[in-house]
Amino acid sequence: MIFVISGPAGVGKGTVVARLLTLDPELRLSRSWTTRPRRPREPADAYVFVDRKQFQSRLAAQGFLEWNEFAANGQLYGTPVPEAGDGDLLLEIELNGAEQVKAADPGAVLIFITAPSREAREARLRHRGDDEPSIARRLAVGDEEEALGAGLADHLVVNDDVDRAAREVAGIIAARRNPPNLE
Ligand code: 5GP
């Protein structure tokens, strides 16, 4: 089964996902490809960091389940086509990509993470050390995503506290794996 985590920049998706992976060892996190340069303190395995030519050639070979040019920075991001037998896969991607995944696999579950406030998103973006224009663009794109996400998602989770939010997501995933028998 595919579980997709989406949500505007600065809601703390990455932290929730990291906590979720410790709560649910059966989940495998898909590693995306991106043309975005690696941030100074970012782990080398956060993405497969590639140039545009490498990205385009994987794209031409039908190597992505979904991909998108992220509006806030013009960089390309894509989810490699899962290998057979990958088990339960967790994707952390923006909303346009999430819609593509749902179109390709209607059984995929879209969980949208929101922040308690716009101020909380802004504070988190600032903390990450992005420059001001980039913060402003990510906030604006995030406003649009927040408006759209509520309508598209199967589940909405507010990241008011990382542990609580991760446990809520883990509960959603467990319930989707084993739906209650209502007969
Ligand atoms: P960042 O540059 O902050 O790492 O990521 C920017 C946005 O791209 C985030 O919303 C992130 O979730 C999204 N993203 C990361 N990987 C992928 C991917 O493979 N596909 C798509 N569509 N979005 C992605």
Side-chain angles (χ1 to χ4, degrees), residues 108-168:
V109 179
L110 172 51
I111 302 164
F112 194 75
I113 313 277
T114 59
S117 67
R118 191 177 201 266
E119 289 70 31
R121 269 194 283 139
E122 185 167 359
R124 212 176 250 282
L125 285 174
R126 224 157 269 244
H127 184 71
R128 200 158 64 182
D130 287 0
D131 58 32
E132 284 301 319
S134 156
I135 291 171
R137 278 195 303 273
R138 281 174 182 262
L139 264 178
V141 169
D143 291 341
E144 285 170 25
E145 285 198 312
E146 196 141 283
L148 286 172
L152 292 169
D154 300 301
H155 301 271
L156 289 178
V157 173
V158 180
N159 184 18
D160 46 3
D161 173 87
V162 175
D163 272 321
R164 197 211 58 75
R167 273 187 275 111
E168 186 177 345

